[in-house]
Amino acid sequence: MHIINSTLTYLHDFAFYYPFFMAYLWMLGAIYYRVMWENKQKRKIDDPPMLDLEPPVSILVPCHNEGANVLDTVDFLLNQEYSNFEVIAINDGSTDNTGELLDQLESKHEHLRVIHLASNQGKAMALKTATLLAKSEYLLCVDGDALLDKYATRWMIRHLVKRPNVGAVTGNPRIRNRTGILGKIQVGEFSAIIGLIKRAQRIYGRIFTASGVIVAFRKTALHEIGYWNNDMVTEDIDISWRLQLNHWQIFFEPNALCWILMPETLSGLFHQRVRWAQGGAETFFRHFNHLFQWRSRRMWLIMMEYLTSVVWSYTILIIVAIWIMQQFYNISDLVSVEGLLPGWAGTLLIFTGLFQFTLSVIIDSRFERNLHRNIFWMIWFPMSYWMINMFATVVGFPKAILKKQGQRATWISPDRGIHQ
Amino acid sequence: MKSLIIDSPKQLNLRQKYAHNIFRFLLALTWFYCLVPVLTFINWFLAYTFFEQNFILLEGYKEYQSSTTLAYLTVIAAMIIWIILWVNLKKVLDVKGVGKEHLAPVSIAEISGYFNIEQNKVAEYQKCKNTEVHFDQDGNITELKQR
């Protein structure tokens, strides 16, 4: 009995300490990144460093039923402040008017090319086809509902040009839709969690995901690893891990902004996060054998971070389950957990969350001046982030285990919030 | 063209509006709950005599001098040291471009070989503005057509 209770005490401590110390690790990493790299550039976002010769870039936009968004997306892409680029829009078997809209645009714009896939093949195959037909060594992939900042291409491509071992560069996604509660909370999450994590992960030297919504690739790197896998629910996590396992570097470019739409309903958000959690687990299982080899040691920190987060999710599940049982049955002789309501430790966590947000506002204020206006909503983001991720991992992890091998991933039309 | 930031409460339906207001109220309460310890702490500093009595004479500082607080600070200090050491070690290990600098950009021959399509055809369709692509059941490209 004593062993069970002392184990539970350890689990309870772990449940608290993990998010607490991870928050400080991300903050410290982000501060270091900001001071040592971002500040040293001394450049404004609209003043990216110029290359002596701008190499050709192919901007790939996979679209499936994007009739409502594709005009704006392509319009932003065609306005890139870059001298040498083509835009390739891929209509992946859309059943709405995406194809017709793209054909109309293609006839008007010299830099726009269109590829129609006769049948729906999924995002990975759409990107592979466009890569085959793209003229350039450098590819920039953007989602069909995202708006790319006009300086983003210049900010990202310079890393690929200057460093031959950089295989990909991920940009800085920013949330557009902030009408509902979930939209507002995600603004903080993308700044205070994702922005800080990416900076901190660059400090470790490896990145968990080069976000598929805005990422630049070197075609040679993609060819070396065999391009995107058709059967992964999150092709971006998989390709990020494979590039890094093959010793390609992935850089994060915070100045490359991309304005994105995110879910604003609880079910939409939950489905998206389950898909991300499943994708992370699928990637982990797919590369399990490689990950433990000595040559993959640079990935161990990322792997440990991932595995600890999975263990943490199940720990929380166990604690909550026991706490609920305690409310209905007298099991205190057998097992007992302390209350779930925030005491001193909870308050400390909430303050850590606010501190984290304040830091992200300071770091990100040059991208969005009015970011601090969301601070009223931000008190929820640590709780919502950790709780949603906990539930998503608990559901997504077994889904990855039970998934049939080789099953093709298909397009999922996500909830894109209130944006019409 | 639409604006970048979309914040239009008018588009919320009645249920969403109620949820929004309930959350706003809960949030205000939580803010208040969180601010209590901060306000107490600030008051201590502002009323120095009171602070002196509570924090020093009545040994209130011991609340913050626990082994747990020291453990937190130690771990956070260890993280700072680790980050500084690791970044500088990485600078030594990751020499710019090492390992990949010899790789030539992938050629049309290599890429068309990978996709099992004739090289001439790939070169031709790389110049085409509007292309239609057909696939077999396994997702292999079977035909490229100009539109």
Side-chain angles (χ1 to χ4, degrees), chain A residues 21-76:
Chain A
F21 286 119
M22 285 314 289
Y24 280 98
L25 185 65
W26 294 334
M27 282 191 277
L28 292 168
I31 291 169
Y32 194 92
Y33 183 92
R34 174 66 195 255
V35 173
M36 299 306 287
W37 284 303
E38 285 181 78
N39 281 7
K40 278 187 180 172
Q41 284 181 345
K42 290 179 182 157
R43 280 184 178 274
K44 288 186 177 169
I45 195 159
D46 56 356
D47 177 30
M50 297 288 285
L51 291 164
D52 296 337
L53 184 70
E54 292 189 329
V57 173
S58 298
I59 304 178
L60 316 183
V61 201
C63 307
H64 176 69
N65 293 343
E66 293 290 358
N69 306 299
V70 76
L71 292 178
D72 285 326
T73 301
V74 172
D75 195 26
F76 270 73

Side-chain angles (χ1 to χ4, degrees), chain A residues 16-17 20-21 24-25 28-29 32 68 72 75-76 103 106 109-110 112-118 121 125 128-129 131-135 137 147 162-165 176-179 181 184 202-205 219-220 223-224 226-227 246-249 259 261 298 301 342 348 350-351 375-377 379-380 408 418-420, chain B residues 1-9 11-12 16 19-20 23-24 26-28 30-31 33-34 37-38 64 68 72 75-76 79-80 82-84 86-88 90-91 93-98 100-101 103-106 110-112 114-115 117 122 125-135 137-139 141 144 147:
Chain A
F16 164 68
Y17 286 124
F20 179 80
F21 286 119
Y24 280 98
L25 185 65
L28 292 168
Y32 194 92
D72 285 326
D75 195 26
F76 270 73
D103 284 343
E106 179 267 315
H109 298 284
E110 186 195 344
L112 178 64
R113 292 170 60 198
V114 178
I115 299 171
H116 295 274
L117 308 191
Q121 296 293 320
M125 199 58 221
K128 276 163 87 166
T129 309
T131 303
L132 169 74
L133 299 178
K135 292 175 199 151
E137 165 70 355
L147 306 180
K162 287 188 172 172
R163 291 172 178 268
N165 62 343
R176 285 182 68 200
N177 49 332
R178 308 165 178 195
T179 303
I181 303 151
K184 289 181 197 298
R202 271 309 305 156
I203 298 289
Y204 312 164
K219 205 194 259 184
T220 305
H223 185 75
E224 194 185 80
Y227 304 93
N246 281 279
H247 305 288
W248 289 98
Q249 290 271 348
W259 298 88
L261 296 169
R298 296 290 182 86
L301 278 173
L348 202 63
I350 290 169
F351 267 107
I375 199 155
F376 183 74
W377 300 96
I379 204 156
W380 293 100
R408 287 277 290 275
I418 298 154
H419 72 282
Q420 295 299 335
Chain B
M1 192 185 294
K2 295 166 191 168
S3 64
L4 276 179
I5 308 289
I6 304 158
D7 188 356
S8 48
Q11 289 194 49
L12 292 172
Q16 287 168 324
H20 196 84
F23 266 90
R24 188 179 272 272
L26 289 173
L27 238 149
T30 318
W31 263 104
Y33 174 78
C34 285
V38 177
Y64 298 92
T68 319
Y72 289 160
V75 173
I76 290 168
M79 282 180 188
I80 295 172
W82 173 75
I83 283 173
I84 293 168
W86 177 252
V87 171
N88 287 292
K90 228 158 47 66
K91 271 185 194 166
L93 296 175
D94 290 345
V95 182
K96 197 174 173 181
V98 155
K100 302 291 183 189
E101 75 279 13
L103 284 176
V106 62
E110 287 169 315
I111 198 166
S112 49
Y114 178 87
F115 285 94
I117 298 169
V122 173
Y125 279 92
Q126 282 190 349
K127 290 174 197 146
C128 181
K129 273 203 85 190
N130 201 328
T131 310
E132 191 174 301
V133 185
H134 292 260
F135 297 85
Q137 291 286 329
D138 301 320
I141 296 172
L144 294 166
R147 279 186 32 140

Side-chain angles (χ1 to χ4, degrees), chain A residues 232-245:
Chain A
M232 306 297 280
V233 290
T234 51
E235 81 299 327
D236 50 358
I237 303 178
D238 175 62
I239 204 143
S240 307
W241 283 47
R242 283 195 292 134
L243 281 170
Q244 294 176 115
L245 284 168

Side-chain angles (χ1 to χ4, degrees), chain A residues 78-126:
Chain A
L78 291 168
N79 281 312
Q80 286 299 293
E81 285 283 330
Y82 194 83
S83 60
N84 195 358
F85 72 94
E86 62 173 356
V87 176
I88 303 179
I90 310 109
N91 169 31
D92 186 11
S94 297
T95 49
D96 67 353
N97 61 344
T98 305
E100 291 89 74
L101 289 173
L102 288 174
D103 284 343
Q104 284 168 23
L105 287 170
E106 179 267 315
S107 60
K108 286 183 204 157
H109 298 284
E110 186 195 344
H111 294 298
L112 178 64
R113 292 170 60 198
V114 178
I115 299 171
H116 295 274
L117 308 191
S119 52
N120 181 244
Q121 296 293 320
K123 187 177 176 183
M125 199 58 221

Side-chain angles (χ1 to χ4, degrees), chain A residues 272-345:
Chain A
Q272 184 198 52
R273 298 307 162 100
V274 168
R275 199 170 65 82
W276 289 1
Q278 185 185 343
E282 274 182 19
T283 306
F284 173 70
F285 290 127
R286 177 69 59 91
H287 306 296
F288 186 82
N289 291 334
H290 291 116
L291 283 168
F292 290 95
Q293 291 170 3
W294 176 246
R295 67 190 298 271
S296 307
R297 62 193 176 280
R298 296 290 182 86
M299 287 295 284
W300 289 352
L301 278 173
I302 289 286
M303 184 179 70
M304 271 166 54
E305 190 181 315
Y306 170 70
L307 283 178
T308 316
S309 76
V310 172
V311 173
W312 180 85
S313 299
Y314 283 97
T315 302
I316 292 283
L317 184 73
I318 291 166
I319 290 172
V320 171
I322 293 173
W323 184 82
I324 291 170
M325 280 167 69
Q326 265 177 202
Q327 310 309 308
F328 299 103
Y329 306 104
N330 184 16
I331 54 167
S332 53
D333 292 341
L334 193 67
V335 284
S336 69
V337 291
E338 293 168 33
L340 292 181
L341 293 170
W344 165 242

